[in-house]
Amino acid sequence: MVHCPGCDSSLADVADIDFEEVDSAMGIVRASKRFYTANCAECGRTIGSGVAGAKSNGGAA
């Protein structure tokens, strides 16, 4: 069983983790990828992160 290192709650179900999109900037090149953090739904501690492909508008504001 996996547990959150912050509050020791069980991370057994999809509802136990919140995924949040994080804004990104890469100097003069506009980032067109989606960056995410995975957070414990109970205490909010960040337990992971990743990249999930290109945004549909190419990162244009």
Side-chain angles (χ1 to χ4, degrees):
M1 179 69 62
V2 178
H3 294 88
C4 173
C7 66
D8 205 36
S9 65
S10 174
L11 302 174
D13 194 53
V14 172
D16 297 332
I17 298 175
D18 291 327
F19 292 94
E20 182 178 339
E21 187 172 353
V22 179
D23 290 334
S24 63
M26 298 179 69
I28 62 170
V29 178
R30 172 158 279 169
S32 63
K33 294 184 178 172
R34 294 176 188 254
F35 293 89
Y36 288 91
T37 59
N39 308 313
C40 173
E42 189 70 30
C43 72
R45 181 169 181 166
T46 299
I47 55 177
S49 62
V51 178
K55 291 183 177 184
S56 61
N57 65 356

